[in-house]
Amino acid sequence: MPELETPGEHSFVATDVTVGHAGRMFVVGYDSMDNDRVQVLIFNQKGGLLQLLEVSAPGDQLILLISPEGLLLNP
């Protein structure tokens, strides 16, 4: 697999990845230098960045609780 092209100062921290239709790779994570803003990066098969989606605003406090069984819980 080729190296993925990430934007900026390489402060993106990947937390999850999946492969979608047409071989596109969806990488979810956060930008550690931008108040931990949640982002989704979409790459093509060659590792080129197609799109960067900002899911949260800077400074948003996101709370995610997961049970030991892997179930999402409401805070």
Side-chain angles (χ1 to χ4, degrees):
M1 167 178 232
E3 182 175 348
L4 301 176
E5 301 171 6
T6 56
E9 301 287 324
H10 301 289
S11 58
F12 179 77
V13 179
T15 58
D16 200 3
V17 64
T18 189
V19 178
H21 64 282
R24 289 191 174 134
M25 185 178 308
F26 296 81
V27 182
V28 178
Y30 61 93
D31 187 340
S32 64
M33 296 185 73
D34 191 11
N35 291 323
D36 295 337
R37 180 184 285 203
V38 177
Q39 298 175 334
V40 177
L41 281 64
I42 304 172
F43 296 92
N44 63 19
Q45 291 176 332
K46 294 182 179 180
L49 181 64
L50 296 175
Q51 188 172 5
L52 183 149
L53 303 170
E54 294 178 337
V55 177
S56 66
D60 279 354
Q61 292 186 359
L62 303 175
I63 299 173
L64 181 66
L65 301 174
I66 301 176
S67 73
E69 296 81 26
L71 302 173
L72 182 62
L73 305 172
N74 290 327

